[in-house]
């Protein structure tokens, strides 16, 4: 199938900077790292309770702990990714007001 070339009137202007989904930035790495730190701290506090909770699974208890850790890391990472831009905008508004 051949797609016709758009005419000059149909062309959209290019944005100054287009997002590249394959490109990782420093902010992405910091968000992953912060999510990991939050998860490790949470697991350090809750580890005795988690081992007691998964003890009934026998051999699968370690698998359950790893699954819980990865799931908690993902939730922490997504929370940081969602809240960081909102927090940044809020802080910028506070600084502009003063």
């Amino acid at each position: 199938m051949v797609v016709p070339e758009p005419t000059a009137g149909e062309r959209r202007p290019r944005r100054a900077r287009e997002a590249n989904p394959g490109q990782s930035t420093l902010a992405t790495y910091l968000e992953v790292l912060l999510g990991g730190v939050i998860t490790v701290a949470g697991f350090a506090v809750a580890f005795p309770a988690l081992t007691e909770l998964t003890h009934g699974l026998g051999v699968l208890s370690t698998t359950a702990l790893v699954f819980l850790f990865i799931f908690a890391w993902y939730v922490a990472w997504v929370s940081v990714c969602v809240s960081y831009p909102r927090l940044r905008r809020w802080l910028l508004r506070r600084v502009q007001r003063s």
Side-chain angles (χ1 to χ4, degrees):
M1 178 176 198
V2 177
V3 178
E5 192 68 29
T7 63
E10 294 175 346
R11 292 189 184 182
R12 296 183 202 159
R14 284 191 173 172
R15 296 180 203 161
R17 185 175 172 191
E18 293 183 7
N20 186 358
Q23 181 182 9
S24 297
T25 62
L26 178 62
T28 304
Y29 293 127
L30 291 176
E31 289 168 353
V32 172
L33 182 65
L34 183 59
V37 168
I38 291 169
T39 305
V40 166
F43 258 70
V45 171
F47 192 71
L50 289 172
T51 54
E52 181 75 26
L53 182 69
T54 60
H55 184 68
L57 296 174
V59 177
L60 292 176
S61 63
T62 55
T63 305
L65 286 173
V66 170
F67 177 78
L68 286 173
F69 182 81
I70 292 172
F71 183 74
W73 192 346
Y74 180 72
V75 169
W77 178 20
V78 169
S79 300
V80 169
C81 286
V82 169
S83 63
Y84 173 70
R86 294 176 186 215
L87 179 65
R88 186 174 177 189
R89 282 193 306 260
W90 182 77
L91 288 173
L92 286 174
R93 276 191 245 133
R94 297 275 297 181
V95 168
Q96 289 174 353
R97 287 182 190 170
S98 44

